[in-house]
Amino acid sequence: MKKTENILINTSIAINALLWMLLIFENRLVIPEWLQVAGRLHPMILHFPVVLVIIVVIFALNKIVNPKTQNAAFKTWLVFATILASGTALSGFFLSNEDGYNAEALYSHKWSGIILSFLLLLWSLGFEWINQRKFVSGMAAVASLATVLLAGHWGSSITHGDNFVLAPILKAEEKPAILFDDALVYQDMVRPILEIKCMNCHNENKAKGELIMATEALLVKGGKTGKIWNLETPGFGLMMDRIHLAPENKKHMPPTGKPQLTAEEIFIIEQWLAKGASFQLRVNSLAENDTLRKTGSTMFGNLASQQYDFEAADAGTIQKQNTANRSVYQLAMDVPAVAVDFYGRSQYLAAQLKELLEIKEQVVALNLNKMPVNDAEMSVVGQFKNLRRLNLSFTDITGRGLLALQSLPHLQQLSISGTTLTAKDFSALQKNASLHTIFAWNTKVKDTEQLLVQQQLGNKRIYWGFNGDTITLQLNAPIIENEIQIITSPVELKLKHFLPGVSIRYSLDGTDPDSMFSPVYKEGILINSQGMLKAKAFKKGWAGSSVSQLYFFKNKFKPDSVWAKQQPDNAYKGNGAATLNDNVKGDQNFRNGKWLGYKENEADLFLFFKEPIAASGVTFSSLIDVGSYIMPPQTIEIWGGGNLQNLRILKKIEPLQPLKEMPLYQAGFECNFPTEKVQYIRIIAKPVNKLPLWHRGKGDKGWIFMDEIFVN
């Protein structure tokens, strides 16, 4: 056993020496792929040294209490802990050189692991000397235990978020209840889903794919493959594509083993994207029959649905409070809560506010918008102890008046827009624990001070409004209203834009339209040719929109029958060969039964016509999803003739292959040739034999997916 221990200690010395050398030259290192594999073993092996260090600490403390305890087993456990800690630190170093980790967050974890490895090595080398000295032995045990705990804490913060280990014993900051009328679709419905299901891997400390979801700006920015949503595509881009992938697909998000999105969560995210992905969209602004609004109504309460611990006021008393410029009413039947609205600035009197003290327990909403209310009257407002919502916008209050609101323990929403309040005045609101929403447009708070005020008030949401005087806004892309992509006769082009005065320019040759030379869209324009339509909106003072696009397919000659010599994969066989001849275009969901998929076999198809036709081109309609291994065909061959046994090649193309990861898209591969009289057409499309080196499935075969074959 002693010989084995010596081998392990010498190996630990070598590993630690290598580790320190690598640290010195870290900025110049390029980690080869086989060592990246060793690095990715780090999360698996790190648990062993943690357990062994705890066992060693127990041995050390027992030795201090019982000095006569034998040392053999103690040293054996220590040596094994040393070699495993060294190997874990080395694999962790390799892993730390991969992309996707915040350098600052990684620093503490990396160095604590290295220090633990070195500390255990010193303990093993000086075991006899240290073991004879109770104080030194105790310090070694405490230092080792503390280091392994800190390393674990910092490591878990990288993978599971800040304070993951200590979260159960730390007092969590209670989030105030959000009312339906205050709820935002992104902030209160979408973001909580992302926080639980996505941000463990996409945060400031661990940014897989260089994607960080912690802030709105970083979410919009996207990751190394670009923006994660594209509102101009039917599937809304990369994020939804990854969510809808099969769970066994390596690109599926969230990854296998992580908590998966529920059907309702996917619906919420998808609906937010469908409505423009606005961060300011309010739930109560959606149509009454909107499904997302109905979902929100089950998630958030309102003032009428809250629980109140006070008695209702007499109906006659409430009625008596109604005047020509003051409306007082119960929020709902059998609810004691009362709301008050003032209107008519010239008719307002301070005495009218005092009159409400007769029902001060029942008032939960008070609207003083544009009333000449000053600081003196705020002492009256402070007596409405059950107030939940208060509107003081465009009043004459100052920071001194806000101090009176500290006596309102239930205040949830405050509007102070259009007042002269400054940044320092907002500190008065820190003590309002229930306050979660503040509207503060057009106050005296400078743009440079807004972030400081927000930090001072913690999780209270402040809406400062938007000043776009110096910002050039981008137009939304035009809407293509044409639903039919397959044209057999001229069809009218239908484009629209909701903003008045917008000029829509378009192209039919696949080039991006410009504001000078591309034709202007007008009603009555007919399309009678195959190709990619692109449209873009322009307006003076605005940035041009992004491009909307739609591929139109021309189908002049429809075959009488289609036969597939090679059958598609059983999982993607659609309606057999008839799928290619039914004039039904598939969408971006390749599992919907409208696509044929080939991987192991090439697509070998025959088109039969009862009478000879004068053909000059065949278009192969395909789907490309690089992340799902669905690529353009490696080659497409078109054969034709009047005799099935004597066909000749008419065209062969090699479609361009993607050079990097990109969002899913549809493509039409055109194979044009000199006009030829044919009665039979054969199409051979070969899948990519080996995926490129940059692809995560490099060396594997690619798929080809098709849904229609068009002959012109």
Side-chain angles (χ1 to χ4, degrees), residues 387-401:
L387 202 60
R388 266 70 168 174
R389 179 177 295 159
L390 176 62
N391 190 339
L392 296 171
S393 294
F394 300 97
T395 60
D396 301 328
I397 64 165
T398 68
R400 191 157 45 89

Side-chain angles (χ1 to χ4, degrees), residues 66-94:
N66 302 301
K68 295 182 179 181
T69 304
Q70 295 296 317
N71 294 330
F74 182 6
K75 187 175 183 182
T76 299
W77 284 107
L78 176 59
V79 170
F80 276 103
T82 301
I83 186 66
L84 282 171
S86 301
T88 302
L90 184 62
S91 66
F93 174 83
F94 294 144

Side-chain angles (χ1 to χ4, degrees), residues 210-250:
E210 300 177 16
L211 172 63
I212 301 175
M213 293 182 164
T215 68
E216 295 171 5
L218 291 171
L219 188 64
V220 171
K221 180 182 177 183
K224 68 179 180 181
T225 55
K227 294 185 177 181
I228 62 173
W229 65 72
N230 180 356
L231 304 184
E232 298 172 17
T233 61
F236 302 124
L238 187 62
M239 177 168 67
M240 296 311 302
D241 289 344
R242 295 285 179 87
I243 288 172
H244 286 304
L245 287 174
E248 64 270 14
N249 192 303
K250 292 181 181 179

Side-chain angles (χ1 to χ4, degrees), residues 433-503:
S434 298
L435 182 62
H436 58 72
T437 304
I438 303 170
F439 296 98
W441 302 344
N442 299 323
T443 60
K444 296 298 181 181
V445 180
K446 299 176 182 177
D447 292 347
T448 54
E449 299 172 324
Q450 291 176 1
L451 181 59
L452 294 175
V453 173
Q454 181 65 76
Q455 292 174 343
Q456 185 182 38
L457 295 187
N459 66 349
K460 294 176 173 59
R461 293 186 295 176
I462 309 175
Y463 297 101
W464 301 106
F466 174 71
N467 181 359
D469 294 343
T470 60
I471 299 175
T472 301
L473 298 179
Q474 185 180 31
L475 292 167
N476 291 331
I479 297 172
I480 303 175
E481 294 189 303
N482 294 79
E483 296 181 358
I484 299 174
Q485 286 181 257
I486 304 172
I487 54 178
T488 56
S489 59
V491 296
E492 183 179 351
L493 177 60
K494 294 182 179 181
L495 305 176
K496 75 174 182 180
H497 200 281
F498 290 110
L499 189 66
V502 166
S503 171

